[in-house]
Amino acid sequence: MNVNSCRIIELPKITDSRGNLTFVEGDIIPFDIGRVYYLYDIPAGSERGGHAHKALHQFLVASSGAFKVHVEDGKNRKTFSLDRPYFGLYIPPMLWRTLDDFVTGSVALAIVSARYDEDDYFRDYSEYCRYVSTQ
Ligand code: TYD
């Protein structure tokens, strides 16, 4: 898997004078939704992520605020800025990712393909690089 497999997906936006509405469902993102979680109350200067997933597909949205997502495949690195609730970043499995540069009050919404499983993580960067170099 390489960083060029990541892509920004524009989500439907139902504009309304009472407030806009955006939704995510199965045919908008390239995997079946298995879990949703979100990061919030993120102190300035924090970095999240810092791992890769073996099989998990992920879709990240700045549902409030803004932050950056850096993805790496062992050779190349790419940075995406998320700053609208109607754009999200699709990250396939086997990419190292870190999230940083959070604007105060940001909420990072993660829609992913499976239940939480610690065995699905690479948490050690050298181990991850060693593994991808053999693939
Ligand atoms: P982690 O995935 O490392 O967070 P992030 O990538 O956002 O920085 O998870 C942080 C901790 O939370 C870790 O101890 C595992 C736990 N956790 C769960 O119990 N369930 C979940 O769905 C997630 C995403 C994390």
Side-chain angles (χ1 to χ4, degrees), residues 76-110:
N76 298 303
R77 190 171 204 257
K78 230 171 162 172
T79 295
F80 296 88
S81 293
L82 294 177
D83 58 4
R84 295 282 184 279
Y86 51 89
F87 281 105
L89 175 66
Y90 167 61
I91 309 177
M94 289 309 295
L95 297 177
W96 191 268
R97 88 290 314 273
T98 51
L99 283 63
D100 64 10
D101 218 2
F102 290 94
V103 166
T104 303
S106 291
V107 177
L109 174 67

Side-chain angles (χ1 to χ4, degrees), residues 53-64:
H53 286 284
K54 297 172 186 168
L56 194 81
H57 298 254
Q58 189 168 42
F59 183 67
L60 290 174
V61 180
S63 54
S64 182

Side-chain angles (χ1 to χ4, degrees), residues 35 37 39 48-49 51 116 118 121 123:
R35 175 171 45 123
Y37 64 91
L39 303 170
R48 298 294 313 224
H51 54 71
Y116 172 71
E118 186 59 34
Y121 285 74
R123 290 200 182 269

Side-chain angles (χ1 to χ4, degrees), residues 9-10 12 32 44 61 63 68 72 78 84 86 105 117 130 133-134:
I9 297 175
E10 183 169 4
D32 290 333
V61 180
S63 54
K68 288 195 171 64
E72 287 182 57
K78 230 171 162 172
R84 295 282 184 279
Y86 51 89
D117 175 10
R130 263 198 312 278
S133 72
T134 64

